[in-house]
């Protein structure tokens, strides 16, 4: 017989303290705008030190930190942050393999069961996906992060929010629906992806039930636009879309955003997050960089090779320390995503936060071509900026030759729309991608729709752009 007391959700959170610590909208903007940089740093430092204290009880951290020469008490404030070694998803993978099933960074939580827990996971491109546990605080704060985004992006009480990601192992859809219902007064309509609710039905529901906001990946918004055109639905006339919450990927020149905004007749907002630390940044209606949830995440941008922190404005790997997570603590996690950070400033929307650039690429997808570093995802803007292409592409990397003549080769496969001059498209892609990457790459023009098996387009999770055959 189970003699453990049931850890009820309702009594596991001090709700008043939660909303005071992590203000949901509209209170977040006011709370942040009224804080000086010193006050914000003091708040971050307090939370950081609490998380460090907790982490010393977690074997994953205690062992790593001791091997780096640290002892409890050595980290006295944010000035000591750099003394703490960073970790990557590889370290989490090793922790999970050595201490199954959830790793020595989080097994403790299941052993104690002091609070309710939920398991979510990363996409996992090879082997089992990376599991992450959530306690009620991690779960609700993550939803508050999303709620801030929805309201900053124009969400209003009573708006129907159509969420076209499935509540599954991945947590974006869960975050969005919890954010809508618990923290922003939006009404979640959890249609799931096209695999769960067909794209035609998605559009019919949006039309009949008056969807005001969408949560969708950029690629799926394109599919919905094509579906609308094929089914005589006019996105601008027949739907009531006021805002779209999405993840644009590498869209430095804004081609994908413009394409989507033209098709939908509504503003499209970029966001950035990961399943372990939640929504780190979101755009507001001014679309001038991503507001950082500074009270929940401490960000560093580090040089991708030396791991040394860079000054504001420099592009490098984003390293995140979660200020709210205890199960598990996340301290100096090098996400290998390339981003740029701008110092804290007052935005025209009224919020005063650090800002992030959009996503610039994955540093672990870097390919060295004739001594030049190339990031495959960077091709997105070039491909999507050409109307003759469907916008879909995948970079295939392999090795040719052997010994001293061995080299890496990259072929960019680009989908062409029907009835276009493929020869001319090929020539233009070859020359534009050479300018973009700074080195010549092979280009292959392929039929519309043929890359879906490689990119995972239309399925759950982020679209893949690199096939590594090395
Ligand atoms: Zn703003």
């Amino acid at each position: 017989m189970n003699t453990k007391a049931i850890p009820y959700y309702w009594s596991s959170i001090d709700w008043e303290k939660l909303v005071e610590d992590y203000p949901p909208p509209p209170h977040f903007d006011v709370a942040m705008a009224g804080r000086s940089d010193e006050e914000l740093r003091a708040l971050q430092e307090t939370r950081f030190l609490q998380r460090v204290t907790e982490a010393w009880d977690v074997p994953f951290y205690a062992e790593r930190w001791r091997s780096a020469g640290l002892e409890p008490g050595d980290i006295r404030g944010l000035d000591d942050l750099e003394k703490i070694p960073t970790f990557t998803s590889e370290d989490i993978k090793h922790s999970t393999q050595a201490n199954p099933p959830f790793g020595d960074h989080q097994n403790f939580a299941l052993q104690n069961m002091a609070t309710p827990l939920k398991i979510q996971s990363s996409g996992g491109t090879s082997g089992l996906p990376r599991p992450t546990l959530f306690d009620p605080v991690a779960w609700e704060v993550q939803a508050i992060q999303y709620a801030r985004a929805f309201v900053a992006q124009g969400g209003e009480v009573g708006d129907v929010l159509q969420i076209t990601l499935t509540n599954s192992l991945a947590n974006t859809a869960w975050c969005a629906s919890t954010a809508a219902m618990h923290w922003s007064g939006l009404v979640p309509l959890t249609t799931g992806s096209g695999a769960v609710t067909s794209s035609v039905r998605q559009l019919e529901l949006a039309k009949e039930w008056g969807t005001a906001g969408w949560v969708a990946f950029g690629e799926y918004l394109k599919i919905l636009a094509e579906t609308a055109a094929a089914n005589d639905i006019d996105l601008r006339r027949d739907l009531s879309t006021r805002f779209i919450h999405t993840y644009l990927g590498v869209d430095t020149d804004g081609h994908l955003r413009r394409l989507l905004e033209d098709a939908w007749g509504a503003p499209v907002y970029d966001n950035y997050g990961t399943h372990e630390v939640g929504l780190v940044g979101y755009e507001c209606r001014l679309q001038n960089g991503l507001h950082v949830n500074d009270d929940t995440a401490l960000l560093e941008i580090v040089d991708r090779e030396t791991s040394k922190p860079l000054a504001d404005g420099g592009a490098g790997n984003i390293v995140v320390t979660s200020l709210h997570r205890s199960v598990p603590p996340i301290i100096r996690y090098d996400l290998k995503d390339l981003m740029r950070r701008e110092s804290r400033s007052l935005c025209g929307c009224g919020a005063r936060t650090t800002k992030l650039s959009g996503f610039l690429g994955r540093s672990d997808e870097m390919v060295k071509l004739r001594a030049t570093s190339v990031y495959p995802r960077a091709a997105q803007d070039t491909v999507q900026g050409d109307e003759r292409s469907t916008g879909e592409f995948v970079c295939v990397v392999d090795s040719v030759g052997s010994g001293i003549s061995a080299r890496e080769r990259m072929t960019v496969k680009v989908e062409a729309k029907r009835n276009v001059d493929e020869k001319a498209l090929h020539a233009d892609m070859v020359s534009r991608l050479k300018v973009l990457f700074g080195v010549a790459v092979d280009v292959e023009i392929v039929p519309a729709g043929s890359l879906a098996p490689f990119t995972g387009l239309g399925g759950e999770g982020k679209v893949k752009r690199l096939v590594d055959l090395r």
Side-chain angles (χ1 to χ4, degrees), residues 284 286 288 291 347-351 355:
C284 67
L286 288 136
N288 56 356
H291 280 291
C347 178
C349 73
K355 284 223 172 139

Side-chain angles (χ1 to χ4, degrees), residues 115-170:
T115 66
L117 293 172
K118 187 170 188 329
I119 306 168
Q120 296 294 130
S121 83
S122 67
T125 44
S126 57
L128 277 180
R130 214 164 55 241
T132 300
L133 297 177
F134 286 81
D135 69 350
V137 169
W139 195 248
E140 296 299 334
V141 171
Q142 182 172 261
I144 289 172
Q145 294 170 328
Y146 272 78
R148 291 170 180 172
F150 294 153
V151 171
Q153 292 162 2
E156 289 173 14
V157 173
D159 279 349
V160 172
L161 183 73
Q162 190 158 340
I163 302 165
T164 69
L165 284 73
T166 309
N167 282 4
S168 62
L169 284 170

Side-chain angles (χ1 to χ4, degrees), residues 316-393:
N317 287 359
I318 186 166
V319 172
V320 183
T321 295
S322 171
L323 296 173
H324 68 276
R325 288 202 69 130
S326 306
V327 180
I330 303 283
I331 298 177
R332 294 204 87 204
Y333 186 11
D334 184 344
L335 295 165
K336 302 279 179 198
D337 283 339
L338 291 170
M339 317 260 315
R340 210 178 264 118
R341 184 185 62 178
E342 302 300 337
S343 52
R344 193 168 176 247
S345 60
L346 184 63
C347 178
C349 73
R352 187 150 175 255
T353 70
T354 311
K355 284 223 172 139
L356 269 183
S357 67
F359 178 58
L360 304 172
R362 288 277 311 161
S363 70
D364 57 3
E365 287 181 349
M366 184 187 81
V367 180
K368 274 262 193 229
L369 294 176
R370 298 185 280 296
T372 304
S373 303
V374 170
Y375 295 94
R377 282 182 191 272
Q380 178 185 310
D381 226 16
T382 303
V383 175
Q384 293 184 338
D386 194 308
E387 289 198 340
R388 295 167 296 180
S389 158
T390 64
E392 288 311 311
F393 70 97

Side-chain angles (χ1 to χ4, degrees), residues 50 64 75 126 128 154 186 220 225-226 253 298 383 416 439:
Q50 283 166 355
R64 294 176 65 79
I75 302 300
S126 57
L128 277 180
L186 306 187
Y220 190 59
E226 284 159 20
D253 289 333
L298 187 69
V383 175
V439 60

Side-chain angles (χ1 to χ4, degrees), residues 3 6 17 60 82 151-152 163-164 197 207 218 238 248 254 289 347 408:
T3 52
I6 295 172
K17 181 168 168 15
F60 175 80
E82 278 182 51
V151 171
I163 302 165
T164 69
T197 305
K207 185 177 170 186
D238 297 333
L248 288 171
C347 178
E408 289 181 346

Side-chain angles (χ1 to χ4, degrees), residues 87-94 130 333-334 362 364:
F87 69 94
T88 66
S89 60
E90 279 299 299
D91 298 310
I92 293 191
K93 202 164 99 187
H94 294 146
R130 214 164 55 241
Y333 186 11
D334 184 344
R362 288 277 311 161
D364 57 3

